[in-house]
């Protein structure tokens, strides 16, 4: 057996080289995973690093003299007077008093530290509490966005600080004395969009998203489940059924922007539905998510074993009874899981909504399905396109909120798959 | 009544019909000696009445709600005095938005011509009339049909068979919606595309190398006719997709191989969901990352090496798109690799092949058709991807293969041409639909081929 | 208690290794003594020297203290009821069980006086010396030529194309397949008949000139004519190779093997010359099996 001996020798000699290749191949695999996970990590740290300050607001707390004379106001219940009155002056005066060494000369610079919307807040407070007139009260107002940026990002080169040196010194001093403070940004969660970054919030976008998702859910889930039941249980084996299946599979891979074109041409131009409203957005997203829901629901129905069907048919249940009483309840967890994942996709979708006009600047929180609205991802898109870094910060914060929604939806789906899905 | 409220009312009426039907079937059965003398259970008589009441009402409601807007618009436009009749659709849509602004109170009637203020009044009146008529019609249909259904309840009636066959048709309609959607897509892009080609010659669109869709708003404006050559968009899309594939294919494929062949169960359990997380991140987030982090990083890096790079380089958009597609490639490859029977692995290992030799020389060639199918699907996804390129790629239609320059893509142009106010028949708007048609055709072709390959591959090992 | 073990084992080994309840009057434990084998388990010039081999799937033992010698250029057949561990034991001989995470092997297994399970032992080299043919023919979806050339290529056994051609031709000739396929070496192997595929797999295994060929029920997926051809081939190969064959068919064991080993519920019950096993088995269980009382 010299042949076998010599061959064994050859094999042994080749081993070193071959194991080197093996190790290299394995290293490529690890490298690939490292790249993918590294990208994920970079993305998250980048967004959190850019955006966590978006959850903070900068406020000024000071003693405001609500002097009627100064404001040209003697009856806060009078709408006309309230409209004409000067609510800026008391704020400026109050802040001058807080800033050591500041005088009447500096009023222009002092005024630049206060948020333009602070006077509106003061007016609303006085309208609500007319008895406050001619008293002195400690109140908290938003600072100007420039102050906010300076307080949060003083050392950061990326941000351009618009305050002059005098104003910077004042802000430092006021911060030390606790007049200027940063705290949790409740404005961000309680308001709609605004031209002023300090005032801008995502509540409008969240409500818009919820309304849109509601429409999507109540349409796409029943329709998707019904379609899946038909295709799995009732459809005859013919060309038409094949055609439906081909259509569903292709629709699942059609770019989302095409659905936007469909929505624009059919819902808006053909049916004359209004632009920018949650109903149209919901309809477009329904058409987009249906294939996903149908495909996952069919898989869930398929996984119900035939023995269950046979048992029910054996005691004389009709086909429809078998499906509705036995197959559907057993397939439901799988269907729900697929639908949640489909809804998560729809929640993050942006492109088709741009085309049906949900990209408008909308300050008010929408109050119905036919009210102009925007959605969370579109809000991110709008803010991300702004040249002001303060808006970029809010866009990052909005992304974190969006991701939190998506991650919890996916976690729910995973939990349901683990808990509720039966293994046969 | 608002359509939403009307919808609720219709459902309530259907429930009422259900109880009435249920009660009637029971009372009919009573003298016969109980419900076992009925052909079906009382539940089915009730359900039948509910369906009789609900379905026609819902159809009427849906049709009315869908078409009322358009019909009212036509009536309002038709009612304008001859001198104000819009000549083109573009004028009509401008006029209509003016009228509806007046009607909604956004524009005080004093600021517009008297006929428009009148038209706004007419619009308001028509809207309320329409709502009233719709409510009346829907409610009477629901009540009448429900009553008819209730009246026809007989003990010998096979309500169950009827309910089941109605339901079956409803299920069928839901499934057929997929066809309707495809038809809708084809019609919505096809019409506008034909109109586009009436204005812009075929050859210019397909062979023109210059794209600048800004047409003159008024005839006397200096800006000349726009140019509609799609070649630069096409090459831009291909450039960005190619960069994405260069990132996604090796990374996705190698990580799938590592996870399925080498990684232990624990590693797989951690890494796989993390990879899938990449797929769940919305594209707008990737766009944000590409535009605000990766693009500046690349242009700074290039500048530090003395190369000039655009701040909206194709490389940034492509690389981030590649990251987005990694999980897509890896999960598809994972499927196909796992579909290769274990017997193949055993056969190779038993001959003394190392794992990587087995992978490279046996499993990979066997899985290649499936992997190719997956990659085609990924390409189709890359060329249809919108948000990343809208945010990170530029608008300048450069004909270049340099990844550090700015290029634009088909999807970017669709979004740019269609966002904001628009006239519906300008070549600019129509061009967006023509581009949409091209995009649809291209992705459809890729998908059909890819699905065919994947299916064929699956059958090979089933 | 044993049924639990065997079910677990069958999940991870071959799909047909389904535990079949043993229908016998007395419980097996009372007749089998662990580690005790009747007949002639040892040989003078062993290729494999296996002592006290135990295999566990997780905590469940699948093979219990088996000791056996396999002689040089011998054909030995492993027989026994389904789930008795014969395939598991066979797969230990070239460490094919390595790829099953939960599988552990204990005891001493030596090939030419070197430990197979030595951590320093190279599994690739081992498998180049101990080839394997599987139950179901598993040709690679490549051409016939590439299937046979695969092993020599990865091991670098041929320097020139002509050498490779020679190896391929010789292997196919030895496998009795050359005349049937010499005109279509470029055709895809998956297009061949089942019997041809299995002989191709044998050709593929011997193309790397192994010293031992393990065969795990190589004929179970073949029709009688193809089986006859493969058996003929085994007889010819026995001149130059050591062959270990697991089989379900007692006739096959009788036809091709020199010695036969009877496995029962993870125990090696009896090893003897094939003639002896089939004419006058020493152990009661062996007799029950070959007379068809269970299996």
């Amino acid at each position: 057996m010299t042949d076998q001996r010599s061959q064994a020798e050859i094999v042994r000699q080749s081993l070193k080289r071959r194991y080197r290749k093996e190790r290299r191949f394995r290293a490529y695999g690890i490298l690939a995973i490292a790249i993918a996970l590294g990208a994920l990590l970079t993305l998250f740290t980048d967004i959190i690093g850019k955006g966590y300050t978006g959850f903070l607001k900068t406020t000024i707390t000071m003693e405001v003299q609500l002097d009627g004379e100064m404001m040209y106001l003697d009856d806060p219940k009078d709408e006309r007077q309230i409209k004409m009155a000067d609510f800026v002056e008391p704020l400026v005066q109050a802040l001058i008093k807080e800033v050591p060494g500041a005088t009447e000369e500096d009023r222009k610079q002092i005024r630049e530290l206060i948020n333009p919307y602070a006077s509106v807040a003061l007016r609303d407070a006085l309208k609500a509490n007319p008895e406050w007139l001619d008293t002195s009260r400690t109140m908290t107002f938003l600072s100007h966005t420039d102050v906010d940026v300076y307080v949060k990002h003083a050392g950061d080169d990326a941000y351009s600080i618009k305050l002059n040196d005098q104003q910077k010194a004042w802000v430092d001093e006021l911060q030390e004395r606790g007049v200027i403070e940063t705290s949790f940004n409740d404005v961000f969660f309680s308001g709609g969009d605004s031209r002023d970054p300090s005032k801008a919030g995502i509540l409008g976008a969240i409500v818009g998203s919820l309304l849109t998702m509601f429409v999507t859910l109540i349409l796409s889930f029943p329709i998707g489940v019904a379609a899946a039941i038909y295709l799995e249980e009732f459809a005859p084996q013919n060309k038409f059924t094949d055609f439906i299946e081909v259509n569903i599979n292709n629709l699942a891979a059609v770019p989302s922007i095409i659905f936007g074109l469909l929505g624009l041409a059919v819902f808006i131009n053909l049916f004359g539905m209004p632009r920018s409203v949650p109903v149209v957005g919901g309809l477009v997203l329904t058409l987009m998510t249906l294939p996903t829901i149908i495909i996952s629901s069919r898989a869930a129905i398929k996984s119900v074993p035939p023995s269950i069907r046979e048992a029910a048919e054996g005691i004389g249940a009709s086909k429809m009874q078998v499906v509705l009483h036995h197959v559907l309840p057993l397939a439901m967890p799988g269907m729900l899981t697929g639908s949640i994942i489909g809804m998560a996709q729809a929640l993050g979708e942006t492109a088709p909504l741009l085309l049906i006009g949900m990209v408008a600047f909308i300050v008010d929180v929408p109050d119905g399905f036919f009210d102009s609205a925007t959605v969370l991802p579109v809000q991110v898109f709008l803010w991300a396109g702004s040249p002001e870094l303060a808006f970029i910060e809010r866009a990052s914060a909005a992304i974190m909120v969006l991701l939190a929604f998506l991650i919890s939806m996916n976690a729910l789906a995973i939990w349901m798959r683990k808990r509720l899905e039966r293994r046969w | 009544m608002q359509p939403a409220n009307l919808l609720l009312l219709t459902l309530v009426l259907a429930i009422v019909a259900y109880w009435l039907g249920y009660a009637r079937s029971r009372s009919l059965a009573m003298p016969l000696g109980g419900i076992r003398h009925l052909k079906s259970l009382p539940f089915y008589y009730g359900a039948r009445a509910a369906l009789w009441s609900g379905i026609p009402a819902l159809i009427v409601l849906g049709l009315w709600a869908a078409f009322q807007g358009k019909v009212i618009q036509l009536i309002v436009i038709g009612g304008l005095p001859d001198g104000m009749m819009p000549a083109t659709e573009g004028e009509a849509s401008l006029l209509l938005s003016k009228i509806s602004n007046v009607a909604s109170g956004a524009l005080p009637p004093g600021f517009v011509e008297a006929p428009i203020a009148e038209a706004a009044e007419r619009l308001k009146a028509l809207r309320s009339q329409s709502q009233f008529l719709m409510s009346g019609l829907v409610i009477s249909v629901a009540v009448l049909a429900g009553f008819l259904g209730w009246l026809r309840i007989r003990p010998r009636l096979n309500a169950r068979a009827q309910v089941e066959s109605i339901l079956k048709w409803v299920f069928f309609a839901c499934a057929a919606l997929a066809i309707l959607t495809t038809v809708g897509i084809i019609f919505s892009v096809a019409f506008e595309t034909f109109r586009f080609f009436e204005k812009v010659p075929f050859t210019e669109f397909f062979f023109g190398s210059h794209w600048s869709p800004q047409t003159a708003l008024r005839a006397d404006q200096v800006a000349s006719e726009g140019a509609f050559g799609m070649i630069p968009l096409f090459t831009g899309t291909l450039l960005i997709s190619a960069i994405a594939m260069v990132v996604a294919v090796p990374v996705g494929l190698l990580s799938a191989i590592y996870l399925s062949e080498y990684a232990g169960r624990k590693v797989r359990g951690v890494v796989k969901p993390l990879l899938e997380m990449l797929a769940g991140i919305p594209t707008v987030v990737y766009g944000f990352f590409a535009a605000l982090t990766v693009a500046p990083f690349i242009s700074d890096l290039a500048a530090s090496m003395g190369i000039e790079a655009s701040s909206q380089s194709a490389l940034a958009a492509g690389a981030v798109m590649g990251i987005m597609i990694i999980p897509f490639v890896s999960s598809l490859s994972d499927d196909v690799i796992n579909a290769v029977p274990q017997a193949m692995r055993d056969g190779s290992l038993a001959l003394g092949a190392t794992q990587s030799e087995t992978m490279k020389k046996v499993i990979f060639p066997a899985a290649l058709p499936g992997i190719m199918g997956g990659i085609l699907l990924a390409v189709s996804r890359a060329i249809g991807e919108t948000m990343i390129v809208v945010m990170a790629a530029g608008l300048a239609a450069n004909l270049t293969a340099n990844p550090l320059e700015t290029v634009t893509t088909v999807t970017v142009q669709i979004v740019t041409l269609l966002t904001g106010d628009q006239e519906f028949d300008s070549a600019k708007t129509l061009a967006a639909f023509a581009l949409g048609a091209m995009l649809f055709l291209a992705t459809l072709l890729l998908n059909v081929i890819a699905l065919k390959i994947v299916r064929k591959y699956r059958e090979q090992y089933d | 208690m044993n049924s639990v073990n065997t079910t677990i084992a069958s999940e991870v080994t071959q799909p047909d290794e389904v535990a079949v309840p043993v229908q016998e009057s007395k419980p097996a434990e009372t007749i089998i003594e662990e580690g005790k084998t009747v007949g002639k388990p040892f040989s003078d010039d062993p290729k494999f020297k296996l002592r006290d081999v135990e295999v566990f799937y997780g905590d469940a033992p699948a093979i219990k203290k088996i000791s056996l010698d396999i002689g040089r250029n011998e054909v030995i057949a492993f027989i026994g009821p389904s789930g008795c561990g014969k395939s598991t034991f066979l797969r230990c001989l070239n460490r094919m069980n390595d790829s099953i995470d939960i599988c552990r092997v204990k005891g001493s297994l030596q090939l030419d006086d070197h430990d197979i399970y030595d951590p320093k032992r190279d599994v690739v080299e081992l498998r180049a010396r101990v080839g394997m043919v599987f139950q179901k023919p598993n040709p690679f979806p490549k051409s016939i030529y590439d299937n046979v050339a695969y092993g020599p290529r990865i091991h670098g056994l041929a320097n020139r194309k002509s050498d490779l051609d020679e190896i391929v031709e010789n292997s196919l000739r030895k496998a009795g397949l050359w005349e049937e396929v010499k005109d279509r070496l470029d055709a895809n192997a998956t297009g061949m008949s089942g019997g041809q595929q299995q002989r191709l797999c044998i050709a593929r295994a011997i193309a790397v000139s192994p010293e031992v060929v393990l065969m795990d029920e190589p004929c179970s997926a073949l029709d009688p004519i193809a089986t006859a051809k493969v058996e003929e081939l085994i007889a010819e190969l026995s001149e130059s190779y050591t062959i270990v064959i697991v089989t379900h068919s007692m006739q096959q064991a009788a036809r091709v093997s020199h010695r036969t080993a009877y496995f029962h519920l993870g125990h090696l019950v009896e090893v003897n010359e094939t003639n002896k096993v089939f004419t006058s088995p020493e152990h009661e269980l062996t007799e029950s099996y070959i007379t068809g009382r269970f299996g």
Side-chain angles (χ1 to χ4, degrees):
Chain A
M1 289 293 97
T2 47
D3 188 29
Q4 287 169 348
R5 282 280 143 73
S6 68
Q7 300 235 349
E9 196 47 44
I10 297 174
V11 171
R12 200 163 304 133
Q13 279 164 3
S14 73
L15 282 178
K16 213 170 175 187
R17 184 176 46 83
R18 289 166 63 195
Y19 276 121
R20 228 181 3 252
K21 276 191 180 166
E22 171 79 22
R23 275 196 300 276
R24 207 179 311 143
F25 189 69
R26 205 178 278 233
Y28 289 148
I30 294 174
L31 183 70
I33 289 176
I35 289 176
L37 296 186
L40 184 69
L41 190 71
T42 317
L43 182 76
F44 273 98
T45 43
D46 179 53
I47 282 165
I48 293 171
K50 277 203 173 85
Y52 76 96
T53 46
F55 293 115
L56 298 174
K57 63 172 179 182
T58 306
T59 53
I60 305 177
T61 307
M62 55 195 178
E63 177 106 4
V64 186
Q65 299 282 345
L66 297 169
D67 184 354
E69 216 167 304
M70 191 199 292
M71 294 191 282
Y72 310 103
L73 180 71
D74 48 42
D75 180 13
K77 284 176 200 141
D78 185 349
E79 280 291 326
R80 265 182 59 93
Q81 272 197 20
I82 281 270
K83 253 187 195 153
M84 309 296 289
D86 181 0
F87 293 100
V88 178
E89 193 56 28
L91 296 174
V92 175
Q93 291 303 334
L95 195 54
I96 287 178
K97 248 181 250 164
E98 297 286 350
V99 177
T103 61
E104 198 62 24
E105 323 263 276
D106 303 317
R107 53 174 298 122
K108 189 173 165 291
Q109 291 193 48
I110 291 283
R111 192 177 158 165
E112 280 169 7
L113 303 181
I114 302 169
N115 192 290
Y117 287 93
S119 56
V120 180
L122 181 61
R123 186 187 72 194
D124 292 347
L126 206 58
K127 238 161 90 179
N129 309 289
E131 70 281 3
W132 285 5
L133 192 65
D134 291 322
T135 61
S136 157
R137 309 203 77 87
T138 305
M139 298 169 85
T140 302
F141 298 95
L142 282 179
S143 74
H144 196 279
T145 299
D146 294 341
V147 176
D148 185 51
V149 169
Y150 174 68
V151 168
K152 290 180 191 166
H153 307 285
D156 192 341
D157 289 337
Y159 286 82
S160 65
I161 309 294
K162 293 199 184 113
L163 301 182
N164 60 31
D165 290 343
Q166 173 72 76
Q167 286 170 322
K168 281 183 195 168
W170 287 339
V171 171
D172 290 341
E173 173 75 27
L174 288 174
Q175 248 188 301
E176 233 164 77
R177 294 184 30 205
V179 175
I180 291 184
E181 279 175 328
T182 54
S183 56
F184 177 69
N185 192 350
D186 53 340
V187 179
F188 187 66
F189 290 97
S190 58
D193 199 0
S194 170
R195 294 279 181 225
D196 183 5
S198 300
K199 192 81 174 48
I202 53 169
L203 184 64
I206 289 180
V207 172
S209 273
L210 290 180
L211 291 172
T212 309
M213 284 302 111
F214 181 75
V215 174
T216 309
L217 182 66
I218 58 163
L219 289 176
S220 64
F221 184 67
I223 295 179
V225 168
I229 290 177
Y230 178 78
L231 291 174
E232 278 302 315
E233 302 283 344
F234 296 105
Q237 277 290 333
N238 61 21
K239 284 256 150 64
F240 192 70
T241 308
D242 287 347
F243 185 58
I244 294 180
E245 294 200 20
V246 169
N247 268 296
I248 290 172
N249 286 335
N250 280 318
L251 283 177
V254 164
S256 60
I257 191 169
I258 300 285
F259 287 96
L261 288 176
L262 170 73
L264 179 60
V266 173
F267 297 131
I268 292 179
N269 287 323
L270 183 61
F271 292 163
M273 286 171 146
R275 293 174 147 267
S276 322
V277 296
V279 165
V280 178
L283 285 171
V284 169
L285 293 180
T286 299
L287 296 181
M288 202 193 81
T289 38
L290 260 182
T292 317
I293 295 183
I294 295 177
I295 290 168
S296 64
S297 301
R298 290 184 69 176
I301 294 176
K302 267 200 195 108
S303 73
V304 176
S307 58
I308 302 276
R309 270 169 254 252
E310 282 158 13
E313 269 161 13
I315 50 171
S318 71
K319 180 85 184 157
M320 188 64 80
Q321 285 170 328
V322 172
V323 172
L324 295 184
H325 298 172
H326 300 282
V327 177
L328 194 60
L330 291 173
M332 197 46 91
M335 293 174 162
L336 285 174
T337 310
S339 304
I340 293 174
I341 289 169
M343 296 307 290
Q345 260 172 28
L347 179 59
E349 195 51 72
T350 322
L353 302 181
L354 298 183
L355 299 193
I356 55 160
M358 291 190 88
V359 65
F361 172 72
I362 292 154
V363 177
D364 298 319
V365 175
D367 59 5
F369 294 106
F370 286 92
D371 198 8
S372 287
T374 187
V375 293
L376 207 42
V378 175
Q379 189 69 72
V380 170
F381 169 67
L382 286 171
W383 284 343
S386 155
E388 274 185 82
L389 276 172
F391 270 124
I392 304 294
E393 180 184 284
R394 264 125 191 116
S396 293
I399 287 176
M400 281 189 252
V401 174
L402 179 61
L403 288 180
F405 271 114
L406 292 179
I407 290 172
S408 30
M409 281 168 84
N410 281 303
L412 179 68
I414 291 169
W415 179 82
M416 280 186 39
R417 189 174 346 187
K418 284 218 171 109
R419 272 301 160 85
L420 302 178
E421 223 164 49
R422 224 172 282 234
R423 296 237 168 254
W424 303 98
Chain B
M1 210 179 290
Q2 284 284 331
N5 298 340
L6 203 54
L7 188 69
L8 277 180
L9 185 69
T10 319
L11 293 182
V12 170
L13 285 176
I15 293 170
V16 170
Y18 171 82
W19 283 114
L20 291 177
Y22 187 89
R24 181 171 160 91
S25 70
R26 288 198 78 119
S27 67
L28 280 178
M30 206 69 95
L32 298 173
I35 57 165
R36 62 197 178 81
H37 292 277
L38 291 174
K39 186 99 177 150
S40 310
L41 289 170
F43 166 81
Y44 287 102
Y45 290 95
R48 178 177 167 278
L51 289 173
W52 273 63
S53 156
I55 289 179
L58 284 177
I59 291 174
V60 170
L61 172 62
L63 288 178
W64 194 290
F67 287 103
Q68 67 167 355
K70 196 72 195 173
V71 172
I72 292 176
Q73 282 175 7
L74 289 177
I75 296 176
V76 168
I77 292 283
L80 288 171
D82 284 344
M84 295 198 65
M85 276 296 194
T88 63
E89 272 191 52
E91 282 179 34
S93 79
L94 274 178
L95 213 56
L96 267 175
S97 71
K98 214 178 204 176
I99 294 172
S100 63
N101 275 339
V102 175
S104 69
L107 197 64
F111 284 95
V112 292
E113 301 93 322
I116 290 191
E118 276 169 31
E121 284 307 312
R122 206 160 45 241
L123 180 66
K124 269 202 261 185
L126 279 171
R127 275 187 185 160
S128 67
Q129 272 172 25
S130 161
Q131 295 237 323
F132 181 74
L133 277 177
M134 173 172 71
S135 310
L137 192 63
V138 168
I139 292 170
S140 41
V141 165
V143 170
L144 208 66
F147 177 70
L148 275 180
W150 176 81
L151 210 61
R152 290 177 55 177
I153 292 174
R154 301 271 183 282
R156 304 300 310 155
L157 180 78
N158 191 345
R160 184 180 58 74
Q162 284 195 12
V163 167
E164 291 185 352
S165 100
I166 293 175
L167 261 188
K168 206 169 130 181
W169 279 105
V170 171
F171 290 176
F172 169 76
C174 292
L177 189 64
I179 295 180
L180 210 62
T181 310
T182 311
V183 171
I185 288 176
I186 291 169
F187 269 84
S188 56
V189 295
F191 266 124
E192 316 299 342
T193 307
F194 284 130
R195 285 170 59 198
F196 173 73
F197 284 126
E198 279 168 14
K199 291 176 187 252
V200 174
F202 217 67
T203 44
E204 188 196 327
F205 184 66
F206 285 106
F207 303 111
S209 62
H210 188 58
W211 176 269
S212 91
Q214 298 308 325
T215 42
L217 280 176
R218 294 187 307 274
D220 56 333
Q221 239 170 351
V222 198
S224 56
E225 278 289 294
F228 293 98
M230 70 169 276
I231 286 186
L233 308 191
F234 187 68
T235 54
T237 309
L238 282 188
L239 178 63
I240 291 185
S241 307
I243 296 170
M245 287 299 128
V246 167
V247 174
V249 170
V251 174
L253 197 55
L254 283 171
S255 41
I257 289 173
Y258 186 84
L259 287 180
S260 67
E261 302 290 320
Y262 292 110
R265 208 177 311 169
K266 269 188 196 154
V267 174
R268 207 167 26 230
V270 175
V271 173
K272 253 192 156 175
L274 282 176
L275 278 185
E276 275 162 21
M277 215 165 160
L278 278 175
I281 292 174
T283 53
V284 71
V285 178
Y286 283 110
F288 180 88
F289 182 59
L292 292 156
T293 306
V294 179
F297 174 76
I298 286 176
S299 83
D300 288 350
L301 192 72
S304 71
M305 292 192 298
I307 314 167
E308 199 175 323
S310 157
S311 62
Q312 290 182 316
S313 59
L315 185 58
V320 173
M321 194 189 281
I323 294 171
M324 182 191 86
I325 296 177
I326 288 172
F328 196 71
V329 174
S330 81
S331 77
L332 279 169
S333 326
D334 198 44
D335 287 352
V336 270
I337 289 171
N338 284 331
V340 176
Q342 182 64 29
M344 294 287 154
R345 282 183 188 82
D346 285 350
S348 174
L349 291 175
L351 286 171
T354 62
Q355 264 173 304
S356 65
E357 283 162 351
T358 304
M359 189 65 227
K360 281 188 273 195
K361 301 206 172 116
V362 176
I363 314 240
F364 186 73
L368 194 61
I371 291 173
M372 285 314 292
I375 290 176
L376 281 187
L377 282 179
V379 171
S380 128
R381 176 163 276 212
I383 64 174
E385 169 48 41
T386 309
M387 289 322 289
I388 295 179
V389 281
V390 165
M391 295 169 82
L395 289 173
N398 293 324
L399 191 56
T400 175
N402 180 356
L404 296 176
E405 272 187 61
T406 303
V407 294
T408 190
T409 72
V410 173
T411 48
V412 172
Q413 290 302 323
I414 294 177
V415 170
T416 319
L417 295 175
L418 287 181
T419 45
D421 281 330
Q422 57 200 271
E423 299 173 62
F424 214 73
D425 58 346
S426 76
K428 202 177 132 187
T429 324
L430 296 179
F433 281 90
L435 289 177
M438 297 305 123
L439 181 63
F440 180 66
L441 286 180
T443 50
L444 187 70
L445 198 67
L446 282 172
N447 294 339
V448 169
I449 296 173
L451 289 176
K452 224 174 209 148
I453 295 176
V454 170
R455 186 165 316 145
K456 215 170 196 163
Y457 169 78
R458 293 241 168 88
E459 279 164 6
Q460 192 186 332
Y461 289 117
D462 270 350
Chain C
M1 157 217 149
N2 277 314
S3 68
V4 176
N5 307 339
T6 45
T7 339
I8 292 169
S10 68
E11 266 176 19
V12 276
T13 54
Q14 296 301 307
D16 65 328
E17 290 264 300
V18 181
V20 172
V22 181
Q23 301 153 3
E24 60 200 301
S25 45
K26 284 186 258 181
E29 283 84 346
T30 59
I31 336 177
I32 309 171
E33 201 179 317
E34 183 159 304
K36 176 126 195 314
T37 303
V38 299
K40 295 179 188 156
F42 304 117
S43 98
D44 303 331
D45 180 19
K47 185 81 189 164
F48 280 104
K49 212 160 137 193
L50 313 162
R51 293 291 178 270
D52 295 333
V53 178
E54 287 177 281
V55 180
F56 298 87
Y57 286 110
D59 292 329
I63 298 287
K64 296 160 203 162
K65 296 244 179 187
I66 288 182
S67 298
L68 176 69
D69 281 346
I70 297 172
R72 222 170 279 282
N73 290 11
E74 172 186 48
V75 180
I76 182 166
F78 292 177
I79 60 169
S82 294
C84 67
K86 53 194 193 298
S87 278
T88 304
F89 188 63
L90 183 77
R91 290 167 72 94
C92 292
L93 300 182
N94 71 344
R95 290 178 56 177
M96 282 306 281
N97 284 333
D98 282 15
S99 55
I100 301 166
D101 289 343
I102 55 164
C103 179
R104 278 183 302 123
V105 179
K106 272 189 182 170
S108 139
L109 296 89
Q110 292 186 329
L111 172 65
D112 286 335
D113 297 325
H114 293 288
D115 190 2
I116 296 177
Y117 278 83
D118 185 343
K120 276 181 268 169
R121 176 95 199 190
D122 193 287
V123 65
V124 167
E125 192 207 340
L126 170 71
R127 288 175 185 163
R129 289 173 63 190
V130 184
M132 185 158 184
V133 176
F134 297 84
Q135 194 171 352
K136 265 209 266 178
N138 56 353
F140 303 135
K142 299 168 178 264
S143 72
I144 294 172
Y145 182 93
D146 285 341
N147 261 283
V148 182
Y150 177 75
R153 272 191 186 133
I154 57 169
H155 293 301
L157 297 182
N159 296 323
R160 284 186 302 274
K161 173 85 169 87
S162 57
D163 289 354
L164 197 59
D165 290 348
E166 205 185 311
I167 295 176
V168 171
E169 185 180 336
N170 281 339
S171 310
L172 286 170
R173 273 188 199 285
K174 277 191 204 159
L177 203 57
W178 177 250
E179 292 303 321
E180 292 166 50
V181 301
K182 66 180 177 193
D183 299 327
R184 51 182 183 116
L185 289 175
D186 290 333
N188 198 312
T190 45
M192 303 166 86
S193 75
Q196 286 177 323
Q197 287 189 3
Q198 192 61 304
R199 280 183 286 149
L200 178 69
C201 290
I202 295 175
R204 189 176 68 189
I206 59 183
V208 290
S209 304
E211 296 153 36
V212 184
V213 180
L214 309 177
M215 297 185 171
D216 188 358
E217 301 189 26
C219 301
S220 65
L222 305 184
D223 61 68
I225 295 170
T227 303
K229 285 203 165 166
V230 172
E231 285 181 8
E232 232 170 79
L233 174 58
I234 294 171
E236 278 168 37
L237 294 176
S238 67
E239 286 166 20
S240 36
Y241 303 93
T242 306
I243 294 177
V244 186
I245 177 167
V246 166
T247 177
H248 243 103
S249 147
M250 283 177 277
Q251 290 84 348
Q252 184 168 62
R255 281 192 299 263
V256 300
S257 68
H258 304 143
R259 276 199 303 162
T260 297
Y262 174 68
F263 287 73
H264 192 105
L265 295 172
H267 299 279
L268 178 57
V269 175
E270 176 168 357
V271 184
N272 249 325
E273 264 98 49
T274 301
N275 274 340
K276 183 146 189 338
V277 170
F278 286 101
T279 49
S280 52
E282 284 179 28
H283 200 283
E284 197 180 330
L285 277 170
T286 319
E287 191 182 357
S288 313
Y289 181 70
I290 62 166
T291 52
R293 293 226 342 249
F294 54 82

